[in-house]
Amino acid sequence: MKKGLHIISSARGDQSYSRGLSTAIANKLIDKNDIDVLVERDLTKSPPPFLDGTLIGEFYKFPEMIDERGKQLLSCANEIFNEMNQADVIIIGTPMYNLGISALLKAWLDQLVRVGVSYKFNADGTRTGCLKNKKVYLAIASGGKLAYWPKECEYIESYIKAVFGAYTGITDISTYRIEGTAEQNFTANYEEIIQSL
Ligand SMILES: Cc1cc2nc3c(=O)[nH]c(=O)nc-3n(C[C@H](O)[C@H](O)[C@H](O)COP(=O)(O)O)c2cc1C
């Protein structure tokens, strides 16, 4: 049984194009039998807390040092990691905000990535990611188009690939974009964007 996880990070509900695109991807994967069951995590409904000093302290404790209070503080991080660990396919939708990912998605990533949990250090100082055999589909919505910008201003796909590769072990990432959503008379054609899927 192939499990899918759908991460939604735009606050615009049904108006959101990143949500529309990630939903179209999830539905196509279900139609193709690449996913049998789908779990939805709408970050707008349960926003992951921003990291603070106390939580960072818990992140770096050995498991046997974590007391009941620590377990409570880590409950969101553990839930996020467990959902990722159980999923075979992860579909992530994000708006482009100021060239980057949404703050909700960043907060989710900061809960997911943990030394000793999502990755481990090897004796020679290199890292090994702990999330194996997973496929990620990244759906990005932007008001403008990447083509308007110099190449070095592509931050979202490159960032997600870098952080997943280094700190989770996930390297199989396909990106789909819906661009120009702020243009006059814009209409979304999700099927056309994902026709190669
Ligand atoms: C705070 C904010 C910042 C934005 N920054 C950018 C940007 O840097 N580049 C861009 O092309 N569009 C930008 N946009 C437009 C959004 O990317 C666009 O509205 C997109 O459709 C949002 O995704 P959503 O439809 O899933 O909510 C911004 C929108 C907001 C509200």
Side-chain angles (χ1 to χ4, degrees):
M1 166 133 358
K2 282 226 166 188
K3 290 186 177 174
L5 174 63
H6 183 190
I7 309 290
I8 294 161
S9 73
S10 163
R12 297 193 325 116
D14 290 344
Q15 304 292 307
S16 159
Y17 293 111
S18 59
R19 182 190 186 128
L21 182 57
S22 57
T23 302
I25 293 170
N27 288 341
K28 192 155 182 182
L29 294 172
I30 291 167
D31 287 348
K32 290 171 64 180
N33 296 321
D34 286 357
I35 294 176
D36 300 304
V37 287
L38 185 66
V39 171
E40 185 179 283
R41 179 173 272 265
D42 183 344
L43 301 179
T44 66
K45 292 189 179 147
S46 51
F50 287 141
L51 300 185
D52 62 15
T54 316
L55 183 55
I56 290 170
E58 298 299 330
F59 275 14
Y60 287 95
K61 279 183 183 166
F62 289 109
E64 59 275 18
M65 303 293 287
I66 298 170
D67 61 14
E68 281 311 309
R69 173 88 185 110
K71 283 181 192 159
Q72 269 177 23
L73 290 170
L74 290 170
S75 63
C76 179
N78 286 336
E79 205 180 318
I80 284 173
F81 177 78
N82 290 338
E83 269 179 358
M84 282 293 280
N85 201 22
Q86 284 161 19
D88 302 293
V89 179
I90 301 108
I91 308 120
I92 301 174
T94 185
M96 178 186 286
Y97 287 157
N98 306 319
L99 298 181
I101 62 173
S102 70
L104 282 171
L105 187 60
K106 180 63 165 60
W108 175 85
L109 266 177
D110 288 345
Q111 297 281 336
L112 172 69
V113 170
R114 267 190 292 167
V115 65
V117 180
S118 70
Y119 70 98
K120 294 187 165 57
F121 277 110
N122 306 312
D124 63 0
T126 57
R127 284 178 296 260
T128 300
C130 301
L131 292 170
K132 303 284 181 206
N133 304 319
K134 301 194 188 293
K135 167 82 190 174
V136 167
Y137 294 89
L138 178 62
I140 306 169
S142 57
K145 293 183 177 172
L146 258 192
Y148 302 159
W149 292 86
K151 272 202 172 65
E152 57 270 25
C153 290
E154 196 298 299
Y155 293 112
I156 296 183
E157 179 184 33
S158 51
Y159 171 68
I160 293 290
K161 283 186 170 172
V163 78
F164 272 154
Y167 299 125
T168 72
I170 298 173
T171 53
D172 188 355
I173 301 174
S174 297
T175 302
Y176 293 84
R177 297 177 192 274
I178 181 157
E179 298 189 295
T181 65
E183 290 174 0
Q184 257 191 353
N185 303 323
F186 177 81
T187 50
N189 187 343
Y190 300 120
E191 291 314 312
E192 191 177 302
I193 296 168
I194 60 171
Q195 61 185 328
S196 63
L197 181 66

